[in-house]
Amino acid sequence: MKLRHGLMAAAAAATLAVSPLAQAETFKFAFQGNLSSLDPHSLNETFLLSSLNNVYEGLVLYDENLSIVPGLAESWETIEPTKWKFNLRKGVKYHDGSDFTAEDVVFSWQRALGEGSDQIARASKIKAIEVVDDHTIIIETPAPNPILTSDLVNVYIMDKGWSEKNGAQNATSASDTNSGNFANLNANGTGPFIVSEHKPDVKTVYERNPNYWGSMKSNVTTVEFTPIKEAATRVAALISGELDLVYPVPVQDWQRLEEAKGVKPLAGPEARTIFLGMDQGRDELLYSNIKGKNPFKDIRVRQAFAHAINLDAIKKKVMRGQATPSGLMVAPQINGYQADLNTPYAYDPAKSKELLVAAGYPDGFEVTMDCPNNRYVNDEKICQAVVSMLAKVGVKVDLLAQPKSKYFGKVLATGGYDTSFYLLGWTPGTIDTENVLSSLLMCQNKEAKKGMFNLGNYCNPKVDELSEKVGSETDQAKRNAMIAEIFKIVQEEYGYLPLHQQPLSWGVSDRVSVVQRADNQLDFRYVVINK
Amino acid sequence: MVSFLLKRLLQSIIVMLTVALIAFAMFQFVGDPINNMVGQDTTQVEREALKEKLGLNDPFLVQFGRFAWNAAQGDFGISYKYKTPVSDLIFERMPATLELAFVSAVLALVLGIPLGVYTALKRNGWLSKFIMTTSLIGVSLPTFLTGILLILFFGVILRWLPTFGRGDVVEIGTWATGFLTISGLKSLILPSFTLALFQLTLIMRLVRAEMLEVLRTDFVKFAKARGLPDRSVHFKHALKNTLVPVITITGLQLGSLIAFAIITESVFQWPGMGLLFIQAVSDVDIPIMAAYLVLIAFFFVLINMIVDILYYAVDPRLRSNDG
């Protein structure tokens, strides 16, 4: 570590000598969660991927608008529907000085695919990699895949030599018997920042990489990250001037930030869609007073629910005006979004009541709703609002709001989809609709690994058939037409009840400018200290 | 004395095993750890495989047995979240908590005892009444609120003191201390006062009550009648006789200072064991929770033992009974 610091100092000195940066600029920020590992393949989690993308890079990167830009690959082309040729960037060096070559890409792909990795889903989008020369590779996919590059954004490249030398060939996993995987606490990437200190759950310090291949907007030389779990402490630390950025900020604290000097709230729509799901698979609901049949199998009941929920009221009262009511299961930032179909179900309680009468429930019925209380922005409050809105049309909802570990343990596949009515949020990791189709809209199918988060098992063979085609259709126009058709079907069948896109909520000091990406990631490349 | 210590040691092992057993029974209800260990794209099959590999499908007695057996050999397992050995994590965090608890205990004693003596002696003085009234706030305000109010006042409004963290630390061997840097000491003030407030009030009220009791006894009256100076009567005769209960309470409270530092640590993002534990609860990091609870049980047993030994030192009657 000492030696490392020495190197750091030398590196910093070199930066000062060659770059126009006049002095050390430290950017300090806090997030509610922690950086659990430095291993880029250990956990497929937003914050980990976001932090490590400043240290490690993939073949391609996202820019500030979530468009794909060249990363470690300079350019690429599709030579056959299932074969992509990537020209790798020349002269890129890892933080320890070794060269980046094609062999590292093959190694990283195998590591991401191997034991202990949590990036298997992404890595398995690649069938084989052929090394043409040190800076050219051909990637073969199992089927034509129009969005291969979106999957590659988060498959970070590690140095083969470094990993092998330090015994870190396999990804860090909690079930490892050889604990203390070197890559868990040490990093060696190609990115613009170098990890100089990492104490899990206490502090992580990054220093600017003086030899970074790319140019960036940022003038920051040091980044200090501290996890702060308590929202009140986080906000206080920002207002007191100790930190430059904190996130997330509770929406109820926005006014305080607006009134305080030198800080402001930074809000934008997140690419995450919050929605309600209903069990349409079982013949009898697990949690309801209706026995022998499942009310949600009746489209009129689902429609009644759709018209009973007042999205504007949720936006105004629960989200303090900071949500975007949605009629679709994907946000505008997502590839495949259909603007003309994004009309939320109209609020019409009278119609709801009529529909319930027609469906044979003139006095409504009882059902239990599962809800997380520490996962999404104001999740429990949204559920409470939904409960009272449904009560107005006669449906008595018993709310079961729990911390996310309990909630997910119950409603997900591991808990046997133990729910009748639930609230969930989803951001497709690929920023593409296909992920929503295969995870949420296709029928549950354990063998095919489809519909694994379709907790209520909404199932329509036509949707399945089209979704399969979307997965391999390379013609964008045809692809979009099929996506539109799927969304139409799901809307007409009231398969899901989308609520809104929740807001991103950051608190920023006037001292810095940052880019707030819709996937809630913080890219240090865009952090500028104002002078 | 040796047999006493041996007996205590045996008891402590039983206490720790019981705590671990109860803890493992509770872990069945904290939720599913797997969901926190993998991302949303991880398939069901991989989730099941991980669960099986970690032994989470075994009955809880089997899980408990495995934990106890490994713990007996000094192996507390690997954290689900950080994927490093739990013992490393806990030892890394221990200095922060112990320093905080130590400073709080000293603060509570150094302020609590004199204030207790003063309020007992000047029972009807306006200052005593004022201290007694404000001390009610100390016992009735929840730690969380005290912490936030202090942060707001000294951190945000006055900006004298840091609002979170430990400041810069100096590593002496494996012990990271905050005592040697200005920012470390400044960072200690708010959390240690927050943590000490309850104990301070408790000790003060206890000393006061005991003093009032002792001041009424015959030997104090005789001491006064003998013409001894007030100072000697109050501190040599009276205070010394109040110390047995004070030591017991202080000792036990030291245990709670360490154990209940959890709330203070999370308000101030103080990187100690308590924060590690509370984070582990939300992550369902069973190995950390288990190790922490057993360790805290051990602390309590240890402190009780030291308190018992101190009795011998303070109270001569116990010594003669023993002989």
Side-chain angles (χ1 to χ4, degrees), chain A residues 195-252:
Chain A
V195 176
S196 65
E197 187 187 341
H198 175 61
K199 285 195 181 131
D201 199 29
V202 179
K203 192 182 185 185
T204 306
V205 183
Y206 306 82
E207 302 285 346
R208 194 187 179 100
N209 176 4
N211 302 315
Y212 185 52
W213 57 265
S215 58
M216 52 177 176
K217 245 169 97 181
S218 175
N219 59 355
V220 170
T221 52
T222 308
V223 177
E224 258 185 55
F225 160 66
T226 319
I228 300 185
K229 193 177 158 60
E230 290 299 335
T233 312
R234 220 158 44 230
V235 172
L238 175 73
I239 299 178
S240 73
E242 285 166 89
L243 296 175
D244 303 314
L245 166 72
V246 298
Y247 72 108
V249 170
V251 281
Q252 44 275 18

Side-chain angles (χ1 to χ4, degrees), chain B residues 4 43 62 67 74 108 120 132 134 166 171 175 195 215 217 239 254 262 268:
Chain B
F4 164 79
T43 62
V62 175
F67 169 79
M132 290 306 288
T134 37
R166 239 190 130 189
E171 285 189 26
W175 187 282
L195 187 57
L215 286 176
T217 54
L239 181 63
L254 186 66
I262 293 176
F268 289 94

Side-chain angles (χ1 to χ4, degrees), chain B residues 4-5 8 12 16 98 101-102 105 246-259 295-311:
Chain B
F4 164 79
L5 283 178
R8 272 311 172 97
S12 71
M16 277 152 62
L98 292 185
F102 172 75
V246 172
I247 288 175
T248 318
I249 296 292
T250 313
L252 291 178
Q253 290 298 322
L254 186 66
S256 358
L257 276 178
I258 296 171
L295 186 73
I296 291 298
F298 172 73
F299 274 137
F300 268 92
V301 173
L302 188 76
I303 288 166
N304 274 348
M305 199 157 82
I306 294 172
V307 167
D308 282 349
I309 296 169
L310 276 181
Y311 282 169

Side-chain angles (χ1 to χ4, degrees), chain A residues 121-154:
Chain A
R122 290 198 173 100
S124 47
K125 300 282 170 76
I126 297 175
K127 191 173 155 197
I129 299 182
E130 183 195 329
V131 176
V132 179
D133 60 48
D134 262 2
H135 294 98
T136 317
I137 55 168
I138 293 175
I139 290 182
E140 195 186 331
T141 57
N145 181 0
I147 54 153
L148 176 68
T149 46
S150 307
D151 285 308
L152 293 180
V153 170
N154 288 316

Side-chain angles (χ1 to χ4, degrees), chain A residues 34 118 227 233 239 242 406 413, chain B residues 29 39 42 44 159 163 267 269:
Chain A
N34 49 35
D118 197 32
T233 312
I239 299 178
E242 285 166 89
K406 295 279 295 174
Chain B
F29 304 102
T42 305
Q44 183 57 22
R159 300 202 180 186
T163 53
V267 177
Q269 193 63 30

